[in-house]
Amino acid sequence: MLSPASPSPSPTAASRNADWQQRSRRHVWHPCTQSSRLDAVPPLPIARGEGVWLIDHDGRRYLDATSSWWVNLFGHAHPAINAALKQQVDVLPHVMLAGCTHAPAVELAERLGALTGGVLGHCFYASDGASAVEIALKMSFHAWRNAGRGGKRRFVALRQGYHGETLGALHVTDVAVFRDAYAPLLGDAHLVPSPDARGAQPGEDAAAVAQRAADALGALLAEQHDGIAAVIVEPLVQCAAGMAMHDPEYLRRVRALCDRYGVHLIADEIAVGCGRSGSFFACEQAGIWPDFLCLSKGISGGYLPLALVMTREAIYQGFVDDDVARSFLHSHSYTGNALACRAALATLDLFEREDVLNRNRTRAARILQRLQEGLGVRPVDHLRQRGMITAFDVREPGERFAERFHLAARSEGLLMRPIGGTVYLMPPYAIGDGEIDRLVEGTLATLDAVAAPHAAKEARDVALA
């Protein structure tokens, strides 16, 4: 079923789609994709975007239910962000941030620091989420070394956690399909149980699961804290784990344990920050601040690659020294890119001008209500929501479920990519009531088309996100 606004494809338009698909298969190495499946699942050629919609060269429209890999906040081609970028490109597209500075980088650091009440008052810029994680890990180890505690060099991560795919980020990632091939190149992090609320035992609620997981972390820190630099967590939602959600109590307990045992806390808010989990920073819902906070994805509104690590004054001061070996010399050529920072400032302006978080609560409630009404006796479990992230798990999803669901959703005018057997909805904040209804109706129709039990075969489903 096409969107009512989608025209029937003409032969000429169809040939344009096919041409772009063929050229892309020939020359582009697509991420998170089995190259052997590109003929069966050709890439969708997108010509333009409008709000929550993406339009292909046929003129077909697809509701961007994943916010284009969780980056788009306020819709595609938002006029305010467009205008800010057009103004900036005429003034200063980029200048190196080593030995120079510029207004967008300074203003963005100031405004983000103010949102933490000044607790995290220093921003180090990078280009993508994995880079931000690498920076936080290096900063933590280096800070302890500068403090005369160079033996604190190991990290603690959660089971099922995902923090990126560069080697340092993979070191603290526990997703086998990304990690296993490169295991010989990686060090071993301590892995502790996830507080995933789906793991509740009879009589337990989400808070009890959080306490049980925190107790396991506490036992590890009590024994080995002298060798541990930091604990890294994805606050509230472990997205690549199938939108595994946990109670904020876990974050409170982890913060207390890190304080007790002298260990840094790194909050990877790359996917869950910028309002996605219900508050601007996910950590706010637990009433805590980490020692390092990583942001990327939505911070630029989904326009340009940008990442940053926010940290405390005391940690920054530990690197202020005439000895170059005590300085943090990590760098990227496009660190603090002026265009990306200006897009981020325009994004923060939208949060300030519009009642975004409250409006999102209303929209999220509608998504959840419509799903609760529609899922009924369909074969799913664990319908759950945190902010603008809603998910459920399909029983017996069968072979290549994510791939089959993705293709079926296209025919419903939706762009969706389940994670394993987990279907999730993470649309841009610009979605309206009618578009929410269309998203839910299309999701249910897609589920009905693909959720019949399938015999498991040897093929592995790697359409992960």
Side-chain angles (χ1 to χ4, degrees):
M1 182 175 72
L2 297 177
S3 164
S6 298
S8 298
S10 68
T12 302
S15 68
R16 288 198 298 268
N17 256 1
D19 179 60
W20 283 112
Q21 289 172 328
Q22 183 179 23
R23 290 166 64 181
S24 190
R25 290 197 298 268
R26 185 179 299 138
H27 297 289
V28 178
W29 200 330
H30 289 266
C32 201
T33 300
Q34 280 181 285
S35 299
S36 64
R37 301 296 298 166
L38 284 174
D39 287 334
V41 192
L44 185 62
I46 299 301
R48 58 193 178 91
E50 296 175 352
V52 300
W53 296 96
L54 295 166
I55 300 101
D56 71 10
H57 291 270
D58 274 357
R60 292 188 179 97
R61 297 163 61 86
Y62 305 87
L63 198 155
D64 189 358
T66 67
S67 292
S68 290
W69 244 352
W70 321 340
V71 301
N72 190 283
L73 298 190
F74 295 103
H76 298 277
H78 192 286
I81 303 178
N82 287 0
L85 285 174
K86 290 172 184 175
Q87 182 182 47
Q88 184 66 40
V89 78
D90 287 333
V91 176
L92 178 68
H94 179 68
V95 64
M96 66 181 183
L97 211 58
C100 300
T101 194
H102 55 77
V106 174
E107 292 170 5
L108 180 57
E110 289 174 340
R111 289 175 65 176
L112 287 172
L115 289 175
T116 72
V119 175
L120 304 176
H122 289 273
C123 284
F124 194 101
Y125 290 105
S127 55
D128 57 79
S131 297
V133 169
E134 299 259 354
I135 288 165
L137 297 175
K138 289 175 65 176
M139 277 185 176
S140 175
F141 163 73
H142 202 160
W144 288 121
R145 192 185 74 166
N146 283 354
R149 303 187 67 183
K152 292 173 75 66
R153 61 181 63 181
R154 302 199 72 184
F155 297 94
V156 181
L158 301 188
R159 291 281 181 191
Q160 307 171 56
Y162 175 89
H163 300 285
E165 294 163 51
T166 54
L167 291 180
L170 274 179
H171 171 68
V172 290
T173 287
D174 184 41
V175 179
V177 73
F178 294 128
R179 180 186 169 92
D180 284 0
Y182 310 103
L185 304 178
L186 306 176
D188 291 325
H190 296 287
L191 293 177
V192 294
S194 167
D196 182 353
R198 292 175 295 180
Q201 297 174 358
E204 281 190 326
D205 59 11
V209 178
Q211 180 175 340
R212 178 156 48 84
D215 288 345
L217 172 63
L220 172 66
L221 294 183
E223 181 180 343
Q224 302 199 44
H225 61 91
D226 284 342
I228 293 173
V231 177
I232 184 168
V233 300
E234 300 161 85
L236 302 181
V237 187
Q238 292 177 270
C239 293
M243 300 301 164
M245 300 182 184
H246 61 256
D247 193 277
E249 178 64 16
Y250 183 72
L251 301 177
R252 288 188 283 270
R253 288 179 177 270
V254 172
R255 177 72 274 179
L257 288 168
C258 288
D259 290 341
R260 181 188 309 169
Y261 291 110
V263 171
H264 291 146
L265 174 58
I266 301 171
D268 175 352
E269 295 215 11
I270 290 160
V272 299
C274 302
R276 190 68 73 180
S277 56
S279 48
F280 189 84
F281 296 109
C283 285
E284 293 179 78
Q285 296 182 49
I288 61 104
W289 293 112
D291 301 295
F292 303 92
L293 192 149
C294 302
L295 281 182
S296 189
K297 290 192 181 289
I299 187 60
S300 72
Y303 271 67
L304 290 162
L306 179 66
L308 55 94
V309 179
M310 304 176 67
T311 192
R312 297 172 181 261
E313 176 72 19
I315 290 173
Y316 176 82
Q317 288 299 327
F319 290 89
V320 179
D321 197 284
D322 289 335
D323 183 354
V324 68
R326 295 174 62 86
S327 298
F328 191 71
L329 301 181
H330 186 104
S331 61
H332 295 267
S333 298
Y334 281 91
T335 293
N337 173 257
L339 282 172
C341 289
R342 181 56 65 195
L345 288 166
T347 299
L348 293 184
D349 288 343
L350 290 171
F351 275 99
E352 290 187 1
R353 286 201 304 265
E354 304 174 10
D355 193 12
V356 173
L357 297 177
N358 281 329
R359 187 180 63 196
N360 282 357
R361 292 185 188 102
T362 300
R363 289 172 173 169
R366 186 181 185 92
I367 292 171
L368 185 61
Q369 179 184 357
R370 291 300 314 276
L371 279 174
Q372 287 172 330
E373 293 169 351
L375 285 174
V377 296
R378 289 177 168 94
V380 304
D381 296 308
H382 301 297
L383 176 61
R384 55 200 180 275
Q385 185 178 78
R386 175 69 66 176
M388 286 291 284
I389 306 170
T390 310
F392 58 84
D393 302 327
V394 176
R395 298 181 209 136
E396 300 183 51
E399 177 192 351
R400 296 196 181 280
F401 171 79
E403 178 182 289
R404 290 184 289 106
F405 194 100
H406 169 73
L407 287 174
R410 285 191 194 180
S411 68
E412 293 292 332
L414 305 178
L415 183 59
M416 303 183 76
R417 284 173 61 93
I419 302 171
T422 296
V423 175
Y424 71 90
L425 286 62
M426 198 188 294
Y429 305 163
I431 194 166
D433 286 351
E435 291 161 333
I436 287 172
D437 294 345
R438 177 158 178 72
L439 171 59
V440 172
E441 290 163 7
T443 299
L444 296 173
T446 302
L447 179 63
D448 289 343
V450 303
H454 289 260
K457 297 184 180 179
E458 68 280 0
R460 283 174 56 173
D461 180 358
V462 295
L464 291 174

